[in-house]
Every structure is written in structure tokens, then in C-alpha cells.
């Protein structure tokens, strides 16, 4: 069973990145900028060994959770690439993107979205997410903004949230860049996650959306560094027959500890 600290870091990121990939627009805003975060270097971690023994898997996830906790506290930056396929109400959006973030937010990225599949004309979208607001801009357009649920504070949420039904150790795997990792799969209790998230917003639209997620199945595959217990790849599979939603997202993380400055696209928004 994953520890209570780990999934609160992951799930807000998944929800926010899903919204960013779909580039939901809102009210317009102008130019300008304001720095919100700059990350310091990441500290080196002690190398440890883990196995498929349940106690060892639990220890691996706890150590990963502690490592992420240190990175969150330090405001560590990380570079990422993303690709996703999401189908809802019979419409499919295929996205690919690349950007930087101060884990778990704020972030800035550029995506290329294909509605109907990769054979359709691509729609490049710039995304900045900070302060509970998503800012998006298509090529040649003005920045648009929309409010989103503020990511729960991990220091508070981690004291009582545990969204996992189960976890499975799938062995050691070497990623394409040669990095050695441990592969762990986590099944998420979406009903519990949604109910806790509903307590943090009064927005009726978000309340309805979160209620709908209770019938979803969510599986996370995590590739955790053998040397430092950081996340280097993450795959999220979401399926909800009740709403007709299915989604597959893949994130690859690199350059943990890089300096990242995230700015709002305009001072007036």
C-alpha cells in the first residue's frame, strides 16, 4: 500500500495536467509577467535496494514519498515531456507537450493537440498554471484564463489521505536514457480521492465533475530511480464507462533540480 504522502503529490498533478492538455479557455487577459517560483538544486539521495517483498515495496514508496516531500519543500524544478490520448463523448484528443515545472505546480508547457487523432491539423497551445489559474494561448491568439481547483497543500493533505487500493512491484527496468528504475503499479481509490477533493471546493461545476470521477478506475505506473527514488516516468490510465471517458497519459521527467522560473502571462489576470 503506498504511503499517504505519495499520492497527494501525484493526483493533483494528474488532474491539473489533464486540464492543461485539453487547453480549456476562459476570460481573456493581456501581456506582462510576474515571477512566482524559482527552484534550487536537488540534493543527492542515498542509493538503496528494494525487492518485490510487500514490506520492501512499502519502504520504496515511503522513501519516494519522503524524497518528493523534500523536493516540494525546496521548490525543486523538473523538465518533462507528455503525450496523451483522451476520449470523451465520442471525441478524441491526442496531445503531446513539453515543459518545466516546480513540483508539483506551478508549471509552463507547450502542447500540440489533435482533435480526432494525429491526422488532424495540430493546434499548438502554450500553457501556464500557477496560483490556481490556468492560462492558455493558441498560436497568434491572446492569453485566456480559467480558474481551477488549487492543488491541496501536501503538508496538510498527507496527514490523512491515502488514495490507494493496492500496489504491485513489477521489477527493475532500464529507461531509454539508460537510467535504472523500479517499476511500481498503483491502483487508486477514486471514490475516496473524489470525496476528499470535494471538501476543498464549493464550485458546483467542480463538485459535479469530481462526483462523476467516483466511477472511474485509475491505474498509475511509476518508474522510480534506483539511485535516488525520484519519479522518472509516470503512466496514468483512466477509464469511466459511466461518463464515456477514457484517457492514457504518459509523462517522462528529467533534470530534477533545474532552475525554473514560472511567470503569470500578465499582471492584470
Amino acid at each position: 500500500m503506498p504511503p499517504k504522502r505519495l499520492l497527494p503529490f501525484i493526483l493533483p498533478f494528474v488532474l491539473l495536467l489533464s486540464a492543461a492538455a485539453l487547453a480549456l479557455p476562459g476570460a481573456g487577459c493581456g501581456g506582462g509577467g510576474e515571477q512566482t517560483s524559482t527552484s534550487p538544486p536537488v540534493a543527492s539521495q542515498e542509493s538503496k535496494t528494494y525487492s518485490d517483498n510487500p514490506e520492501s515495496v512499502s519502504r520504496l514508496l515511503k522513501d519516494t514519498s519522503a524524497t518528493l516531500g523534500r523536493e516540494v519543500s525546496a521548490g525543486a524544478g523538473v523538465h518533462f515531456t507528455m503525450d496523451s490520448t483522451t476520449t470523451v463523448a465520442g471525441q478524441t484528443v491526442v496531445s503531446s507537450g513539453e515543459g518545466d515545472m516546480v513540483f508539483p505546480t506551478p508549471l509552463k508547457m507547450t502542447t500540440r493537440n489533435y482533435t480526432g487523432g494525429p491526422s488532424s491539423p495540430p493546434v499548438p497551445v502554450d500553457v501556464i498554471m500557477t496560483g490556481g489559474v490556468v492560462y492558455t494561448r493558441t498560436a497568434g491568439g491572446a492569453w485566456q484564463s480559467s480558474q481551477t481547483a488549487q492543488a491541496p497543500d501536501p503538508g496538510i493533505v498527507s496527514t490523512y489521505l491515502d488514495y490507494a487500493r493496492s500496489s504491485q512491484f513489477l521489477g527493475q527496468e532500464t529507461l531509454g536514457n539508460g537510467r535504472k528504475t523500479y517499476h511500481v503499479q498503483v491502483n487508486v481509490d477514486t471514490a475516496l480521492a473524489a470525496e476528499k477533493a470535494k471538501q476543498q471546493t464549493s464550485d458546483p461545476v467542480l463538485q459535479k465533475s469530481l462526483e462523476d470521477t467516483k466511477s472511474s478506475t485509475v491505474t498509475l505506473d511509476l518508474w522510480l530511480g534506483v539511485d535516488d527514488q525520484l519519479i522518472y516516468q509516470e503512466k496514468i490510465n483512466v477509464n469511466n464507462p459511466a461518463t464515456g471517458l477514457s484517457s492514457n497519459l504518459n509523462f517522462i521527467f528529467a533534470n530534477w533540480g533545474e532552475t525554473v522560473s514560472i511567470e503569470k502571462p500578465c499582471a492584470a489576470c
Side-chain angles (χ1 to χ4, degrees):
M1 182 73 69
K4 296 180 179 180
R5 289 187 59 86
L6 179 58
L7 288 172
F9 296 148
I10 297 171
L11 290 179
F13 178 52
V14 172
L15 294 173
L16 293 175
L17 262 291
S18 299
L22 294 174
L24 302 176
C29 59
E34 175 184 329
Q35 181 172 315
T36 57
S37 296
T38 301
S39 65
V42 62
S44 60
Q45 305 299 327
E46 176 186 356
S47 179
K48 301 178 182 180
T49 302
Y50 305 91
S51 69
D52 60 359
N53 180 286
E55 291 184 0
S56 182
V57 177
S58 177
R59 181 164 51 86
L60 167 60
L61 291 171
K62 287 179 180 178
D63 289 343
T64 298
S65 176
T67 300
L68 288 176
R70 287 190 290 270
E71 302 315 301
V72 169
S73 298
V78 65
H79 184 77
F80 68 91
T81 59
M82 176 208 76
D83 59 82
S84 69
T85 301
T86 300
T87 300
V88 61
Q91 184 179 47
T92 299
V93 177
V94 178
S95 299
S96 60
E98 185 169 4
D100 298 284
M101 66 185 302
V102 178
F103 202 83
T105 55
L107 67 89
K108 59 181 178 182
M109 66 185 298
T110 298
T111 69
R112 294 173 65 85
N113 303 325
Y114 305 82
T115 302
S119 61
S120 62
V123 180
V125 181
D126 295 320
V127 181
I128 293 176
M129 196 174 299
T130 184
V133 181
V134 180
Y135 305 92
T136 61
R137 178 180 62 181
T138 56
W143 282 102
Q144 308 288 314
S145 66
S146 61
Q147 295 290 326
T148 187
Q150 181 75 3
D153 175 63
I156 299 174
V157 176
S158 63
T159 60
Y160 63 91
L161 281 185
D162 188 347
Y163 299 141
R165 297 181 190 273
S166 62
S167 62
Q168 183 179 6
F169 184 86
L170 299 179
Q172 285 197 38
E173 297 181 14
T174 301
L175 301 182
N177 59 2
R179 182 173 295 279
K180 294 181 179 179
T181 65
Y182 296 109
H183 182 184
V184 179
Q185 187 175 85
V186 176
N187 295 310
V188 177
D189 187 336
T190 54
L192 176 60
E195 198 58 42
K196 294 298 184 181
K198 285 174 65 177
Q199 297 175 11
Q200 301 181 52
T201 179
S202 58
D203 187 313
V205 175
L206 285 175
Q207 287 275 336
K208 175 62 167 61
S209 178
L210 289 167
E211 184 65 28
D212 290 343
T213 66
K214 288 185 176 182
S215 55
S216 299
T217 58
V218 177
T219 302
L220 305 178
D221 281 83
L222 304 171
W223 284 262
L224 311 174
V226 168
D227 295 331
D228 56 14
Q229 297 87 54
L230 286 168
I231 298 175
Y232 286 96
Q233 185 170 352
E234 177 180 2
K235 289 187 177 181
I236 307 100
N237 179 271
V238 181
N239 187 44
N240 191 337
T243 62
L245 169 69
S246 63
S247 180
N248 295 283
L249 299 95
N250 180 52
F251 299 97
I252 296 177
F253 301 100
N255 302 330
W256 277 96
E258 69 176 0
T259 299
V260 175
S261 294
I262 309 297
E263 299 178 351
K264 292 191 294 186
C266 62
C269 291

